[in-house]
Amino acid sequence: MFSSVLIANRGEIACRVIRTARRLGLRTIAVYSDADRDSLFVAQADEAHRIGPAPAGESYLIGDRIVAVAKEAGADCIHPGYGFLSENAEFAEACAKAGIAFVGPPPKAIRAMGLKDAAKAVVERAGVPVVPGYHGAKQDPAFLRERAANIGFPVLIKAVAGGGGKGMRRVDRLIDFEDALLSAQREAANAFGDPRVLVEKYIRSPRHIEMQVFADRFGNAVHLFERDCSLQRRHQKVMEEAPAPGMTDAVRDAMGKAAVDAALAVGYVGAGTVEFIADASHGLRPDGFFFMEMNTRLQVEHPVTEAITGLDLVEWQFRVAAGEKLPLAQQELAVHGHAVEARLYAEDPERGFLPSTGRLWALRFPEAEGVRVDTGVAEGDVVTPYYDPMIAKVIAHAPSRLAALDLLAQALEETVVAGPRTNVGFLKALCDAHGFRAGEFDTGFIDRNMDALGAAPRGPDLAAAAAGALALVRERQEGVREAARAAGGSGQGPWDVADAFQLSGPRRTGLPIVVEGERIEAALGWDAAGPMLDVPGAELTGQADFTLVTTDDGIIALASGRQTHVRLHDPLGVALDEGDSGGVVKSPMHGKVVAIFVVEGEAVEKGQRVAIVEAMKMEHALVAPRAGVVAEVLAEAGQQVAEGARLAVIGENG
Ligand code: ADP
Ligand code: ADP
Ligand code: MG
């Protein structure tokens, strides 16, 4: 076994790898960017080395620098985690050249599976069923259009170099094909530097079911059962579980064999995942699934497999990379119970899942039997715009599927996150969603149920705002009393409840508050019980239960995972952009301006696309808030902008 490891990654997966490495007695070496200097994984590692500025392209993606640090620090091996350099064959080669073991498959296997078209060709030769389609070299639009017509609509256009659901377009009609092709190629060229695509049959009622595989250097290969990752949004996984609902022994055997065959076909060593798309319109069938791609790394959702097998996959990775044989044979592996994982993201389901950044004013997870939380952040940390916005993975393991879903729902209910917006309420709603619980779902489930899952714009929670504002009033009252006491007074003052009540009886005074950035005229009153707050529109919910979290400028009141920010209006602190509604197009988050579509003097329609801003791997189109003429353009493509930055101003018509 190795005696030290450098982890070429960050966040929760770096913490995850450190945990096992430490248990196995390895010295742990972290590398970090400027944005991660004070991160959990840096604190947890035995030593840590700075590798560059915040953008991944200047730090976590610079393989040579990381290998140099590994050499200097005397690392025996490098664990790449997932994302970043984990599927980069040149990086694996650079490790080998430096005499450092790469905890992952041989470069040859990474390359063989690196492009979706080539991978499909390789596994097809090994007898693995692939999605019918065209995965050849020709990229001529007329040719691809003809192939699409032959395949039959709907079809899916995919970037051959794709990942993370990028460069993918579903096309339902022949006349839409060319537009979709061009935009998929453009997105692929931007994201992967490779515009090539393949065209395949879009599987109806698709279920994403993947097989965890493991192989060693002695030609042994096993599968560690399947994971169902059909709960997706924009082709990206949201919740994953193992085993797959409706799985039979016959289907599992067929899928397991196909996965192991695919791995052996490329001389695979280590942990990998073979992703299949299953046609679930008539239940799972041994001949109803097709190879999509192989991910040659540890997968984000590996904890559900660990839960049902009782194994530590990172330990297996280290053992295999160190030249040991696979610890167990296929017949020694078994499934125990059911596990479900939810990806907790800093994003706002009520605003189109816009990534959300900022300080984590509160972050608390429940501790319960069967619940595992993998995270890379702690209370007080800042979620930055530079990396994937995942805050944590919450995993529940129980004897049955419904028990696991109940346990996960309970854990999410007890999870407290305040600051960045999160999808915690959305995840909880998913656990409780009838169709999902019944096992009747496919990859379109989330899209079909957006509103029911609470992913729709809603007004502010005014009852929460009232509770928060009242707490702020009490806090201020305490502050005034303390100040008076410190000044040698009695501690009684104009804010003192009893005093105010005695002097003038019940009375009311206007108290403007700011809820979610909007000013609201509330009224403050006193009675014998203390201050009461009347917020117009707030339903009287009695002793409603809110979790209150103090921030630097106010309070966040939480109910069912929903956050309501409230502060007392400060008459001296008028925000510069107040009253700035009308024609200003602002960036909704920190990010990079990808494109500006208007020029000064141009007439625009309300809703017309004005700019695209990209943050955390997602593009957001910004539209004109009203019809008019572009008065000012304040940003240009390629520029980094802060949240709230003004990008353009649309003047009024006429
Ligand atoms: P998995 O398939 O292992 O569950 P994902 O496909 O969601 O995980 O992504 C795995 C990792 O790869 C994540 O860390 C994610 O941030 C990263 N990743 C996914 N897509 C991209 C992309 N287009 N560019 C860079 N990193 C990506
Ligand atoms: P990525 O590299 O982005 O992970 P995949 O090829 O794994 O790309 O596909 C991502 C998702 O897109 C799948 O999980 C599935 O939901 C959907 N998908 C892919 N291929 C098909 C298909 N042929 N039919 C229906 N859905 C598909
Ligand atoms: Mg995939």
Side-chain angles (χ1 to χ4, degrees):
M1 180 49 66
F2 305 114
S3 67
S4 60
V5 57
L6 179 140
I7 300 112
N9 214 302
R10 62 176 301 282
E12 71 87 16
I13 193 60
C15 294
R16 163 72 192 89
V17 172
I18 288 172
R19 198 164 66 233
T20 293
R22 174 146 308 146
R23 186 168 59 72
L24 298 177
L26 277 65
R27 178 166 60 96
T28 55
I29 304 156
V31 291
Y32 63 90
S33 76
D34 289 337
D36 286 332
R37 185 183 305 276
D38 301 318
S39 291
L40 216 50
F41 76 92
V42 171
Q44 286 178 358
D46 293 313
E47 59 186 86
H49 303 268
R50 176 184 180 274
I51 46 167
E58 297 168 42
S59 49
Y60 297 108
L61 288 172
I62 304 196
D64 293 346
R65 196 173 299 162
I66 293 173
V67 170
V69 170
K71 260 174 125 169
E72 192 131 314
D76 290 344
C77 64
I78 294 186
H79 194 302
Y82 53 70
F84 295 134
L85 297 167
S86 60
E87 297 183 270
N88 185 313
E90 288 77 49
F91 180 65
E93 268 160 4
C95 293
K97 226 168 133 197
I100 301 168
F102 176 73
V103 184
K108 193 172 71 71
I110 299 179
R111 278 210 181 90
M113 291 298 184
L115 296 176
K116 290 189 204 295
D117 53 349
K120 282 175 88 173
V122 171
V123 303
E124 198 170 21
R125 280 200 293 277
V128 175
V130 304
V131 187
Y134 176 74
H135 46 267
K138 282 199 184 172
Q139 296 291 308
D140 170 45
F143 173 80
L144 290 178
R145 188 167 172 274
E146 199 187 304
R147 298 307 297 236
N150 288 342
I151 294 164
F153 289 90
V155 299
L156 195 63
I157 303 172
K158 276 187 193 178
V160 302
K166 277 203 170 185
M168 206 178 279
R169 295 285 184 282
R170 174 185 162 159
V171 190
D172 293 304
R173 303 176 308 173
L174 189 61
I175 54 159
D176 298 329
F177 185 81
E178 200 146 331
D179 273 357
L181 176 67
L182 292 178
S183 84
Q185 287 172 329
R186 193 166 51 230
E187 192 170 300
N190 277 334
F192 315 110
D194 182 346
R196 288 176 299 156
V197 297
L198 57 83
V199 182
E200 64 185 32
K201 178 97 197 128
Y202 185 85
I203 303 297
R204 303 266 186 178
S205 199
R207 291 256 306 268
H208 174 123
I209 301 181
E210 58 186 35
M211 280 277 164
Q212 175 70 53
V213 295
F214 243 105
D216 64 19
R217 290 187 202 167
F218 308 95
N220 304 306
V222 297
H223 70 80
L224 276 64
F225 314 106
E226 76 282 358
R227 293 184 288 257
D228 191 319
C229 312
S230 302
L231 280 193
Q232 303 186 344
R233 197 179 66 77
R234 306 223 287 173
H235 304 303
Q236 303 232 49
K237 299 160 185 172
V238 175
M239 282 186 30
E240 307 97 341
E241 61 183 302
M247 182 54 86
T248 64
D249 286 344
V251 176
R252 180 178 284 152
D253 288 348
M255 209 182 255
K257 178 178 183 309
V260 167
D261 286 349
L264 291 175
V266 297
Y268 205 81
V269 178
T273 293
V274 182
E275 296 189 334
F276 296 99
I277 194 90
D279 178 351
S281 36
H282 304 287
L284 298 177
R285 284 171 296 120
D287 61 351
F289 64 84
F290 310 94
F291 173 91
M292 277 193 297
E293 66 166 344
M294 180 170 189
N295 294 326
T296 55
R297 54 168 159 91
L298 189 68
Q299 203 97 338
V300 173
E301 60 275 22
H302 74 278
V304 294
T305 300
E306 296 188 321
I308 61 156
T309 59
L311 300 170
D312 180 334
L313 298 199
V314 176
E315 175 180 346
W316 277 42
Q317 285 190 295
F318 280 128
R319 294 201 179 285
V320 167
E324 294 182 25
K325 284 193 172 161
L326 285 182
L328 296 173
Q330 192 69 59
Q331 64 275 15
E332 295 173 285
L333 293 158
V335 174
H336 305 283
H338 199 100
V340 191
E341 169 182 284
R343 298 190 187 194
L344 177 59
Y345 279 105
E347 63 185 15
D348 188 353
E350 291 179 41
R351 290 172 70 210
F353 294 87
L354 206 62
S356 185
T357 53
R359 186 168 302 280
L360 288 159
W361 295 102
L363 182 64
R364 301 197 281 274
F365 296 106
E367 277 177 38
E369 164 112 30
V371 174
R372 163 176 169 181
V373 178
D374 280 19
T375 184
V377 286
E379 194 162 290
D381 285 357
V382 173
V383 176
T384 71
Y386 300 108
Y387 316 108
D388 191 279
M390 191 162 76
I391 295 174
K393 305 184 297 204
V394 183
I395 305 107
H397 182 214
S400 71
R401 181 169 189 264
L402 288 183
L405 285 172
D406 288 342
L407 186 60
L408 182 58
Q410 179 69 25
L412 292 167
E413 177 73 35
E414 291 170 19
T415 295
V416 174
V417 196
R421 293 299 143 103
T422 79
N423 63 346
V424 68
F426 178 76
L427 295 171
K428 162 92 170 37
L430 268 175
C431 293
D432 296 335
H434 176 75
F436 177 51
R437 290 180 72 86
E440 292 156 5
F441 63 102
D442 58 33
T443 60
F445 184 84
I446 288 182
D447 274 341
R448 288 192 298 271
N449 293 283
M450 275 298 179
D451 288 3
L453 294 166
R458 282 188 283 171
D461 183 342
L462 294 171
L470 195 56
L472 288 169
V473 168
R474 293 209 172 101
E475 215 170 74
R476 182 171 291 191
Q477 192 182 342
E478 272 306 311
V480 171
R481 241 184 248 164
E482 296 227 329
R485 256 185 236 119
S490 65
Q492 304 258 307
W495 284 89
D496 192 270
V497 185
D499 188 40
F501 185 69
Q502 274 165 15
L503 286 181
S504 49
R507 58 190 170 97
R508 284 163 65 86
T509 156
L511 181 77
I513 60 176
V514 181
V515 180
E516 295 293 307
E518 298 271 336
R519 180 177 162 145
I520 291 182
E521 304 307 322
L524 180 64
W526 286 271
D527 67 12
M532 318 174 299
L533 198 70
D534 185 12
V535 176
E539 273 173 48
L540 284 178
T541 45
Q543 290 294 90
D545 206 8
F546 298 104
T547 302
L548 301 180
V549 176
T550 305
T551 72
D552 53 348
D553 68 342
I555 271 184
I556 294 171
L558 285 129
S560 308
R562 210 163 175 239
Q563 302 182 40
T564 307
H565 179 272
V566 58
R567 62 183 166 87
L568 302 182
H569 181 72
D570 178 355
L572 298 178
V574 181
L576 287 176
D577 57 7
E578 237 167 64
D580 194 9
S581 47
V584 180
V585 180
K586 289 186 199 169
S587 175
M589 70 247 156
H590 291 270
K592 189 169 113 184
V593 178
V594 176
I596 298 274
F597 299 108
V598 297
V599 293
E600 277 169 29
E602 181 178 340
V604 292
E605 294 297 320
K606 180 172 176 179
Q608 183 176 331
R609 206 163 55 150
V610 170
I612 289 182
V613 174
E614 187 195 62
M616 304 203 255
K617 299 187 312 228
M618 283 183 34
E619 289 185 356
H620 303 276
L622 307 178
V623 300
R626 65 175 176 210
V629 172
V630 179
E632 279 182 281
V633 174
L634 301 155
E636 57 184 57
Q639 188 181 335
Q640 290 285 341
V641 290
E643 178 176 342
R646 295 149 59 98
L647 305 182
V649 181
I650 316 294
E652 240 164 324
N653 263 336

